[in-house]
Amino acid sequence: MSRPVDAEPRPPGLRGATRVLLERELDLAWSGGGGPLLACGFFACLTAVLPLAAGGDPRTLSPVAGGIAWLALALASLLSLERLFERDLEDGALDLLAIGHLPLESVVLIKALAQWIAVGLPLALTAPVAALALGLPVSLAPLAALSALIGGAGFALTGALGAALALGAKRGGLLIAVVVLPLFIPPVVFGAGALERAASGQSPAPALAFLTAYVLFAGVIAAFAGAAAVRNAQG
Amino acid sequence: MFGLSNPQRFMRFTGPLTPVLWTAAAVLLAVGTWLSFTVPADYQQGDTVRIMFVHVPAASLGLGAYAALGVSSFFALVFRHALADAAARAAALPGAAFTALALFTGSLWGQPMWGTWWVWDARLTSVLVLFLFYLGYMALRASIDDEQKGARAAAVLGLVGLINLPIVKFSVDWWNTLHQPASFLTPGASGLDPVYLPPFLTMLAAYGVLFAALWLTAIRTEIRRRRVLTLRARKALEA
């Protein structure tokens, strides 16, 4: 590799660019408006409303605790998606990212990764608390956190794809929800399924394997389709 | 086939074809409906078997229309072809309508036969997701002001939605739940009683031709709409 002739500072390599972008995304996610805490608050609110809507009887609630927790998780994961690309499109940062070192596919993946760390991780920590409040057995709390963590990666990746698709749309937030929620069905099915299997004494491993497969699949699709959508929005 | 990708040649070719398709669809639908009501009732299902003559074709066309949408989206994305984009757009609404009809008639059939309007088995759920994909496609297209950008974003979503098609098709084989597996197109002997073949096949053909007529008409309307937009823009420039 030849060094650049002029005296400009050496561009950070791919690894450096990845780290810089990840740090920037995390900074943006954590700064202002409560960041991920808002998503956790929304998650807590949903967890409070859903059982009351269903009657609140522990006998009816306990069997569906995992499912309700997963529904709340999916909805809470939608919250901050709208700003994921829209903000960068508005202030021109997306154009800079497009001409930078990283291919747009990686940019989409890194943004999804940051979304996972910033939103998915706190939600995964909140998930067992919410599930216990709904009546899930305490012994299943670690599984609830683990499955929520894996599922959170799927939500972040699919959500990033939806956010990229909805770039430049009127009422983007609502549109992202309509586009993304059908894609959230498999992780909700597998995630809640893992808890259900464990609650009935079966091994949750198959459901977790399906959940992980969904995440890997979503990673491939979201990278390429998301990058295509971002390029299209930049026109 | 690719000769028709020229919009003008497409318009010339489909101009006389469209009324033929509409007529054929009307005749086939009339004959199919008459046959559906005159075949003897099933010994087990009774008269509800007649719902199948609407349900199965509608579901097949709901799937087929999405395949048409997905393939058109692919050509629109890769070759940036305006006609392919018009075709994708035109397939969305009829496809959504067929899928909704399949869900609705399935529900009507399920109530007397299964004892419930709806179950969350894999086939029903995946068809519902198919319907939601149609809605998402149309919503995405409609809510982006820049028409070309909206079209391409929707095309990406349309391609992603293709993943759902094999899930819908094979859901009855992968998950052994309430919805019965395919009985007509089974290897070897058809699982369908020969008595029911005439109405079933006629209705299947009727729905296929009806979709073709709806699709072509919608594509032609879309091409005309774009011509009007171009003419208007040109006029505005001249003024």
Side-chain angles (χ1 to χ4, degrees):
Chain A
M1 293 294 267
S2 61
R3 290 190 128 216
V5 188
D6 52 10
E8 275 181 37
R10 230 165 79 89
L14 278 184
R15 198 178 300 169
T18 305
R19 209 195 58 229
V20 170
L21 180 58
L22 187 61
E23 279 170 6
R24 167 184 184 270
E25 292 299 322
L26 287 176
D27 272 350
L28 282 173
W30 278 100
S31 65
L37 293 180
L38 196 62
C40 290
F42 181 69
F43 187 37
C45 291
L46 274 178
T47 317
V49 173
L50 287 173
L52 295 179
D57 183 348
R59 272 169 306 171
T60 57
L61 210 52
S62 167
V64 291
I68 292 184
W70 265 89
L71 172 64
L73 201 62
L75 293 178
S77 306
L78 285 175
L79 270 192
S80 46
L81 288 176
E82 192 181 357
R83 306 295 291 155
L84 195 57
F85 290 101
E86 193 75 47
R87 185 183 50 198
D88 288 349
L89 184 72
E90 280 163 11
D91 67 8
L94 210 52
D95 293 329
L96 286 178
L97 287 173
I99 57 172
H101 289 279
L102 291 168
L104 263 179
E105 284 79 7
S106 317
V107 171
V108 173
L109 282 183
I110 293 167
K111 274 178 169 285
L113 178 66
Q115 173 83 3
W116 183 33
I117 298 172
V119 179
L121 195 62
L123 282 179
L125 294 176
T126 321
V129 182
L132 290 185
L134 291 167
L136 197 78
V138 183
S139 57
L140 294 182
L143 180 65
L146 176 68
S147 62
L149 190 62
I150 303 174
F155 290 150
L157 286 164
T158 315
L161 169 61
L165 282 174
L167 274 179
K170 296 168 280 188
R171 294 183 298 165
L174 204 58
L175 183 67
I176 292 175
V178 171
V179 167
V180 156
L181 274 178
L183 295 166
F184 276 8
I185 290 178
V188 169
V189 169
F190 300 137
L195 290 177
E196 199 182 313
R197 285 177 69 90
S200 64
Q202 292 167 289
S203 159
L208 287 182
F210 269 116
L211 192 60
T212 315
Y214 173 89
V215 172
L216 297 175
F217 200 58
V220 178
I221 302 266
F224 291 104
V230 169
R231 279 194 201 100
N232 171 46
Q234 287 174 321
Chain B
M1 181 197 164
F2 284 97
L4 285 178
S5 58
N6 173 328
Q8 265 183 339
R9 217 172 301 155
F10 176 86
M11 290 300 266
R12 259 207 314 277
F13 180 75
T14 54
L17 186 65
T18 325
V20 175
L21 285 174
W22 276 111
T23 318
V27 171
L28 282 169
L29 264 183
V31 174
T33 310
W34 185 75
L35 285 175
S36 306
F37 279 107
T38 48
V39 285
D42 186 71
Y43 80 101
Q44 241 180 352
Q45 301 182 18
D47 276 328
T48 56
V49 72
R50 304 181 205 284
I51 296 178
M52 288 299 122
F53 305 137
V54 175
H55 175 72
V56 180
S60 312
L61 264 298
L63 270 184
Y66 199 94
L69 189 158
V71 172
S72 306
S73 294
F74 176 78
F75 280 105
L77 266 183
V78 176
F79 302 111
R80 301 198 170 229
H81 205 289
L83 190 63
D85 175 55
R89 181 192 163 130
L93 190 57
F98 279 126
T99 312
L101 185 63
L103 288 169
F104 179 67
T105 51
S107 187
L108 287 184
W109 183 87
Q111 170 56 23
M113 285 298 112
W114 293 343
T116 173
W117 299 106
W118 184 265
V119 283
W120 291 99
D121 94 334
R123 171 58 74 82
L124 275 69
T125 309
S126 56
V127 173
L128 183 63
V129 170
L130 177 70
F131 182 61
L132 293 178
F133 263 114
Y134 276 122
L135 293 192
Y137 178 90
M138 291 190 279
L140 184 59
R141 237 192 132 108
S143 59
I144 297 183
D145 277 329
D146 184 328
E147 206 173 288
Q148 274 199 326
K149 286 186 178 177
R152 291 177 65 78
V156 173
L157 182 65
L159 273 183
V160 171
L162 279 181
I163 301 164
N164 189 35
L165 290 194
I167 300 181
V168 173
K169 177 76 187 87
F170 297 112
S171 55
V172 282
D173 305 322
W174 294 342
W175 293 279
N176 192 10
T177 47
L178 206 47
H179 194 288
Q180 59 268 58
S183 55
F184 172 58
L185 285 173
T186 38
S190 170
L192 200 65
D193 192 302
V195 175
Y196 295 121
L197 278 180
F200 177 71
L201 290 179
T202 316
M203 285 303 259
L204 198 59
Y207 272 69
V209 176
L210 177 65
F211 174 70
L214 283 166
W215 196 25
L216 283 187
T217 308
I219 298 176
R220 289 171 60 80
T221 312
E222 174 68 13
I223 292 174
R224 291 213 176 93
R225 188 183 70 89
R226 287 182 189 175
R227 279 187 191 162
V228 169
L229 285 180
T230 319
L231 284 177
R232 226 181 254 163
R234 206 178 292 163
K235 206 160 189 191
L237 270 181
E238 282 165 7

